[in-house]
Amino acid sequence: MGSDKFYNKIQHLLSFADVEINGSRPWDIQVHNKKLYPRMLAQGSLGLGEAYMDGWWDCERLDEFIHKVLKAKLDSKVKPREAFFSNIKARLFNLQKPSLCFLNCQHHYDIGDDLYQCMLDRLKIYSCGYWKNASNLDDAQEEKLDLVCRKLQLVQGMRVLDIGCGWGGTAKYIAERYQVEVVGITVSKKQACFAKELCQGLPVEIRIEDYRSLKGVFDRIVSIGMIEHVGYKNYTTFMQVVHRCLKKNGLFLLQTIGNNKSEKKIDPWIGRYIFPHAVLPSASQINSAIENLFVLEDWHNFGPDYDKTLMHWFQNFHNSWNDLKEKYGERFYRMWKFYLLFCAGTFRARVNQLWQIVLSPEGVPGGYCAPR
């Protein structure tokens, strides 16, 4: 009788999202273990994701299931107890302090270069592509980098800082195309090693360094997909560092996933299995951090492009699984699939955004003309 009660509760909730249990449509879930129902009610998204990893349920179009659940705001109707304690922890402690940031990074970015080599584009750009004039992932990432360069108004001979340089693809692109000098920093040893090799022969210096220890002055600064790891307690510190390192007539481009709400933590499942202690900033949190430091020149939202990027990443990952499965195993496949398709669903539901923000220390004389 108890299991029927949990089943009825979950089916009632899913009906608001037009999702059926063991239904015939691609977004309907197929349940293999009835313990899923109380687990979902008790643990929310954490229980949902872990149960998927455990093989308790499947869905032909997992991305569309997540999209429908979020559009119906079902996440707000389930309040797991653990969320309360994770909120308290995020409030009390700086979970992105220097002593933790290297460990947080290694959990995700040092998993294995072979995984990312299979999944990403030829430059290994691990951030949203720009699909306005692109039909494949390689072109979408180059279009994004071209957009970044045009927004930064790069000129030959400039000195550029790339905060969170990843595998060096951005540094390589801008050094080759614009003949600028680039300093890239990362806290991942594996990324730094790959980036140094990728950028060999170019005026690019790759450092393993936390942003808080940065010194020097640059004509331009770019940070793509890194502030999500900074933490809400450190946004102002991050912006102060950028301000200190940027020339008075310089430009700073920040690309970040954006949250519609101001939060102090990320989704519990994503936080446990994918990005420990990551936080998605809101517009108000960013605006608060730049106050008295920068002039806001441009704010560009192309969040739906991340949905498309993630779907391409998943297809690449899925198509390469035969080459990866012996090393990573079936549980990892289910975890990584849930990660990529869950995130695609969040952007499709417009719960998450993708922002490119251009800032200047004192305002561009005569105004800034934003390219698209």
Side-chain angles (χ1 to χ4, degrees):
M1 192 69 174
S3 61
D4 289 341
K5 180 182 72 173
F6 293 128
Y7 168 86
N8 291 337
K9 177 67 172 175
I10 292 296
Q11 183 60 79
H12 175 69
L13 287 171
L14 291 177
S15 68
F16 292 106
D18 188 31
V19 173
E20 294 179 4
I21 296 172
N22 299 325
S24 59
R25 298 167 301 179
W27 57 84
D28 290 330
I29 63 171
Q30 310 302 313
V31 176
H32 312 307
N33 190 328
K34 292 181 180 179
K35 292 179 182 178
L36 172 67
Y37 310 130
R39 190 174 185 178
M40 286 173 65
L41 291 172
Q43 298 180 319
S45 68
L46 178 61
L48 182 71
E50 288 185 336
Y52 185 81
M53 292 165 62
D54 292 339
W56 287 16
W57 65 282
D58 280 294
C59 183
E60 182 182 340
R61 285 294 305 275
L62 181 57
D63 52 305
E64 191 59 18
F65 164 70
I66 296 296
H67 165 227
K68 285 180 170 291
V69 164
L70 293 177
K71 285 297 284 185
K73 296 181 171 55
L74 298 193
D75 54 317
S76 66
K77 299 181 188 299
V78 178
K79 297 292 184 182
R81 188 165 173 261
E82 184 169 329
F84 171 79
F85 293 104
S86 61
N87 263 325
I88 294 296
K89 185 178 179 182
R91 287 176 183 273
L92 292 178
F93 303 104
N94 184 354
L95 301 174
Q96 299 82 18
K97 60 185 179 181
S99 60
L100 290 176
C101 71
F102 285 84
L103 292 175
N104 293 341
C105 171
Q106 289 164 8
H107 178 92
H108 187 82
Y109 297 101
D110 289 356
I111 290 173
D113 282 346
D114 54 349
L115 170 66
Y116 294 110
Q117 195 81 50
C118 290
M119 187 177 88
L120 304 178
D121 64 296
R122 57 178 169 248
L123 285 175
K124 286 184 78 170
I125 304 296
Y126 194 20
S127 57
C128 182
Y130 190 51
W131 293 89
K132 184 179 178 181
N133 298 310
S135 58
N136 60 69
L137 185 61
D138 285 331
D139 289 348
Q141 294 295 8
E142 291 213 12
E143 286 288 322
K144 187 266 299 295
L145 294 177
D146 175 69
L147 182 67
V148 166
C149 293
R150 287 187 287 125
K151 287 181 177 180
L152 285 172
Q153 300 175 353
L154 293 182
V155 175
Q156 183 177 347
M158 282 183 170
R159 191 164 185 252
V160 180
L161 172 65
D162 182 358
I163 303 177
C165 65
W167 288 277
T170 300
K172 174 181 171 65
Y173 182 91
I174 63 179
E176 285 181 337
R177 298 294 179 94
Y178 288 86
Q179 289 79 56
V180 298
E181 178 187 338
V182 184
V183 173
I185 67 165
T186 176
V187 293
S188 165
K189 292 181 180 179
K190 286 190 176 181
Q191 283 187 333
C193 183
F194 186 95
K196 287 177 182 178
E197 187 173 335
L198 183 71
C199 298
Q200 195 169 12
L202 294 168
V204 175
E205 178 188 358
I206 302 296
R207 304 175 186 167
I208 300 173
E209 184 174 358
D210 181 76
Y211 69 91
R212 281 160 283 215
S213 66
L214 276 166
K215 291 180 174 60
V217 180
F218 299 84
D219 299 288
R220 299 289 188 266
I221 299 178
V222 60
S223 184
I224 299 174
M226 183 271 182
I227 199 172
E228 297 92 329
H229 302 285
V230 165
Y232 82 100
K233 287 180 179 287
N234 306 303
Y235 292 148
T236 299
T237 299
F238 177 83
M239 292 299 178
Q240 288 170 341
V241 169
V242 173
H243 186 268
R244 183 182 75 218
C245 293
L246 186 61
K247 288 184 178 179
K248 296 300 180 185
N249 63 345
L251 291 173
F252 169 45
L253 185 141
L254 175 71
Q255 179 172 310
T256 179
I257 300 171
N259 199 333
N260 292 338
K261 301 181 295 181
S262 294
E263 300 277 9
K264 296 177 173 58
K265 60 180 184 57
I266 204 166
D267 172 84
W269 185 87
I270 293 289
R272 177 173 292 186
Y273 290 97
I274 307 299
F275 296 115
H277 306 316
V279 187
L280 304 182
S282 69
S284 65
Q285 288 171 329
I286 291 173
N287 276 320
S288 177
I290 68 174
E291 192 170 326
N292 297 319
L293 291 172
F294 290 104
V295 174
L296 173 59
E297 300 287 0
D298 184 49
W299 196 304
H300 182 189
N301 184 356
F302 51 99
D305 284 30
Y306 223 146
D307 178 8
K308 197 166 186 177
T309 302
L310 283 153
M311 295 304 294
H312 276 75
W313 286 346
F314 170 69
Q315 200 57 56
N316 288 346
F317 167 66
H318 177 75
N319 291 344
S320 302
W321 183 241
N322 280 338
D323 299 324
L324 299 169
K325 63 182 180 182
E326 186 174 341
K327 176 180 177 180
Y328 292 95
E330 185 62 25
R331 185 173 172 81
F332 180 90
Y333 175 83
R334 293 183 70 88
M335 180 188 77
W336 209 251
K337 178 180 180 178
F338 190 84
Y339 153 52
L340 294 173
L341 297 184
F342 175 89
C343 290
T346 69
F347 286 99
R348 198 173 308 162
R350 302 308 306 279
V351 171
N352 288 337
Q353 313 304 324
L354 191 285
W355 298 325
Q356 278 190 356
I357 302 165
V358 179
L359 304 169
S360 66
E362 297 182 348
V364 175
Y368 176 83
C369 184
R372 292 290 187 266

